[in-house]
Amino acid sequence: MIPRVDETLRTLFAKHVALLAAGGPVTDDQIGFAPPDAQWRGHVHGLGTDRALNVFLVDLRDNRRLRSSERVASVNNGDVVVARAPARVDCHYLISAWSNETDGEGNTADQHELLHEVLTALVNAEPLVPSAVFAPASVPTGFPDVLADAELPTVIAPEDGFPKLAEFWGTMGERIAWRPAVWLVVTVPVLYDTHVAGPMVTTTLSAYRPGAEELINLGGQVLAGTDPVPGAAVRLLAEPGGVRVQATTADDDGRFRFTGVRAGPYRLRAGAQGLGSDDRPIDVPSTTGEYDLHLA
């Protein structure tokens, strides 16, 4: 996840920090994520007159305020998959500006203007949504779906200031002077492993009084190959005779449900325009617990 956040920040600054493009199109070399040490300073000198930003991930902290014990269930190939709501981790970045202007005062002003443009870009992108940053292009191939459209909370230049800024610059080497930096905190999700809770429940017994007739609820899915068919028409017919008992329409996941059905032999029939139909005999309750229909 974190490299994808880096990629999002790089794209945001390349698009919206105008001074970076003063010498032509912004290159990847102008936005770096390595420590801003003497090696980085040499890298900046190698850029010539191009300006640069260093976006250094300086710390990671658990965000307990946004933790949740919620469980999220989804269906995958007929199995119920359960996952915990993601953990949340705060990524702390120090963003510093670098310029090769020869005049000392001009160099400082150049860096300050770069920092101002960084702040402006971050404020206008808050909360950070990767798909919006990359738009009108799509997010890069392999970008996690859970991150692409997520609203990533950000804290821009917290009021208490980065507590160890002097110590930070002191570790970067004698050639690196202490300079201002934008302290940015981006909160990212960290996914827990999922586990299969078991197959979907397709048959349940309705509540009934002792001695009364037992009624059954049943459900299944309409598929074309392995793809669900939303909107498919589904009918439950009594056997023998094919008298219609109930009819329904499959939901967005191709799932259907019939309630209050008496035990006995039936026929399930489904169809969708352009996808064919399926017709199969069933017993209610099913000995296999399966009522899916496959269009062909």
Side-chain angles (χ1 to χ4, degrees):
M1 291 288 188
I2 294 175
R4 297 306 191 179
V5 176
D6 294 348
E7 199 170 359
T8 301
L9 291 174
R10 182 196 297 276
T11 300
L12 176 70
F13 297 143
K15 282 186 172 183
H16 298 290
V17 178
L19 272 179
L20 288 177
V26 180
T27 66
D28 286 349
D29 288 341
Q30 290 176 261
I31 305 173
F33 293 85
D37 53 14
Q39 185 174 350
W40 165 257
R41 185 58 178 149
H43 169 78
V44 173
H45 278 307
L47 296 176
T49 58
D50 289 340
R51 301 164 177 88
L53 291 176
N54 184 277
V55 187
F56 184 63
L57 180 64
V58 70
D59 203 2
L60 296 168
R61 297 291 177 96
D62 181 20
N63 188 318
R64 294 186 179 276
R65 182 176 58 84
L66 294 180
R67 273 190 179 271
S68 171
S69 59
E70 178 186 3
R71 261 62 171 175
V72 179
S74 59
V75 178
N76 184 16
N77 293 327
D79 288 325
V80 177
V81 179
V82 178
R84 292 178 60 183
R88 306 288 175 174
V89 172
D90 291 337
C91 298
H92 294 250
Y93 292 89
L94 286 180
I95 305 169
S96 51
W98 300 76
S99 171
N100 279 314
E101 289 286 338
T102 54
D103 176 62
E105 188 65 30
N107 186 294
T108 299
D110 221 33
Q111 293 172 20
H112 288 183
E113 185 60 32
L114 274 168
L115 290 179
H116 177 79
E117 291 188 5
V118 165
L119 287 168
T120 301
L122 290 170
V123 167
N124 281 283
E126 192 176 22
L128 194 66
V129 180
S131 60
V133 172
F134 286 100
S138 301
V139 296
T141 302
F143 207 94
D145 291 339
V146 71
L147 195 65
D149 294 314
E151 293 187 353
L152 303 180
T154 58
V155 180
I156 303 163
E159 62 181 358
D160 49 348
F162 190 74
K164 296 185 177 181
L165 192 60
E167 181 181 334
F168 171 77
W169 286 117
T171 63
M172 291 298 118
E174 295 181 0
R175 295 179 57 197
I176 306 299
W178 184 2
R179 62 181 61 211
V182 174
W183 180 16
L184 170 69
V185 183
V186 183
T187 303
V188 300
V190 179
L191 302 183
Y192 289 101
D193 291 338
T194 60
H195 71 275
V196 177
M200 281 196 66
V201 175
T202 58
T203 307
T204 60
L205 303 182
S206 299
Y208 60 93
R209 299 187 306 276
E213 184 177 20
E214 186 174 85
L215 297 178
I216 299 163
N217 303 329
L218 62 98
Q221 189 175 27
V222 183
L223 300 164
T226 59
D227 297 327
V229 182
V234 187
R235 288 183 289 173
L236 179 66
L237 310 175
E239 290 286 67
V243 177
R244 188 174 76 174
V245 177
Q246 294 186 37
T248 189
T249 300
D251 66 13
D252 289 344
D253 294 318
R255 300 202 170 276
F256 63 88
R257 186 168 182 262
F258 295 118
T259 61
V261 179
R262 293 182 175 89
Y266 290 87
R267 181 169 292 275
L268 275 174
R269 184 173 296 164
Q273 186 173 5
L275 294 175
S277 62
D278 188 15
D279 187 313
R280 57 170 288 196
I282 61 169
D283 289 315
V284 176
S286 168
T287 56
T288 64
E290 187 268 323
Y291 301 97
D292 289 351
L293 291 155
H294 299 267
L295 304 187

